[in-house]
Amino acid sequence: MYNYDSPVMERVQDRELADRLMARDERALAEAIETYGSAVYGVARRVITEDTFAQEVAQDTFLALWRRPGAFDPQRGSLLRFLCAIARNKAVDLVRKEESQRRSAEALISETHPGRAVTHMPQLEEQDHMMRALKEITESQREALVLAYFGGRTYREVAEELGIPEGTAKTRLRDGLIKLRGVLAGDKP
């Protein structure tokens, strides 16, 4: 455990830890997590109220450090500040992604119920209904729809990611939407 008596000592210890991370020393990562884990989690928790997501952000922060330890520059600040900045950015990105997915789900529900404008989604009920509906379509259709509507991909990107022809991606999306509309409207697929 580090003893931070002075900012100079802190920088030296951060540099040593960063050097060990660059050398792929797993003990250095464990040390970084032990030393900074609660602070990184705290930053994530202030942005994200959901504990599980905050834990995920903290884990992703240390994974980013492990993958690219060279991104940390001791000349620009402490390792703690660096990790907290990463955690904050990842937490904000996650909040934005969740909001985007919520809006996509609302748009899909509005599309399946044309006369009804969805101004807000009653979270649990609508999400549960959507998840049950998604289980009623084939796995290949569900995979394409999730990538397109919840992942924000075009049909070309869906085709590329799934390794299928563009026409097949279009067909899966179209057929999946038709079945999904039927299920959401109360009909059987």
Side-chain angles (χ1 to χ4, degrees):
M1 189 62 115
Y2 289 151
N3 178 14
Y4 296 117
D5 295 330
S6 72
V8 173
M9 188 63 174
E10 180 180 340
R11 297 276 171 97
V12 169
Q13 291 169 335
D14 283 351
R15 186 183 315 266
E16 289 171 1
L17 187 60
D19 289 343
R20 290 174 46 212
L21 287 165
M22 290 291 284
R24 311 312 287 163
D25 180 356
E26 291 180 13
R27 287 172 293 169
L29 180 62
E31 196 173 311
I33 292 170
E34 183 180 326
T35 304
Y36 302 116
S38 61
V40 168
Y41 170 77
V43 168
R45 191 74 161 104
R46 279 191 291 276
V47 176
I48 301 171
T49 57
E50 178 65 37
D51 183 57
T52 306
F53 289 138
Q55 290 174 4
E56 184 180 320
V57 165
Q59 183 178 9
D60 286 349
T61 299
F62 287 104
L63 184 59
L65 176 65
W66 179 250
R67 287 183 176 157
R68 294 188 54 227
F72 168 64
D73 180 3
Q75 299 300 321
R76 297 183 67 200
S78 70
L79 184 56
L80 176 61
R81 282 182 159 220
F82 175 76
L83 291 170
C84 288
I86 291 173
R88 184 190 174 285
N89 291 341
K90 286 187 175 296
V92 168
D93 287 347
L94 183 62
V95 168
R96 287 178 180 156
K97 178 182 171 189
E98 291 294 315
E99 179 63 20
S100 173
Q101 288 176 346
R102 185 189 60 75
R103 282 194 306 267
S104 294
E106 287 176 356
L108 186 58
I109 290 169
S110 292
E111 191 176 302
T112 59
H113 296 77
R116 181 177 118 197
V118 178
T119 55
H120 71 285
M121 182 188 328
Q123 287 298 91
L124 297 176
E125 224 175 277
E126 292 290 345
Q127 285 179 354
D128 187 48
H129 187 58
M130 179 62 74
M131 294 308 289
R132 281 193 312 248
L134 284 169
K135 288 179 182 174
E136 294 294 321
I137 62 177
T138 68
E139 185 177 339
S140 60
Q141 292 168 343
R142 181 172 46 252
E143 190 174 35
L145 283 172
V146 167
L147 286 172
Y149 288 92
F150 301 107
R153 291 170 181 80
T154 66
Y155 74 89
R156 286 188 175 118
E157 292 169 331
V158 169
E160 185 178 317
E161 192 160 327
L162 296 178
I164 58 176
E166 289 179 8
T168 303
K170 285 182 184 179
T171 300
R172 287 182 186 178
L173 289 167
R174 185 194 70 234
D175 291 349
L177 274 177
I178 290 169
K179 283 185 181 179
L180 196 58
R181 281 186 190 121
V183 171
L184 290 172
D187 300 336
K188 293 190 178 183

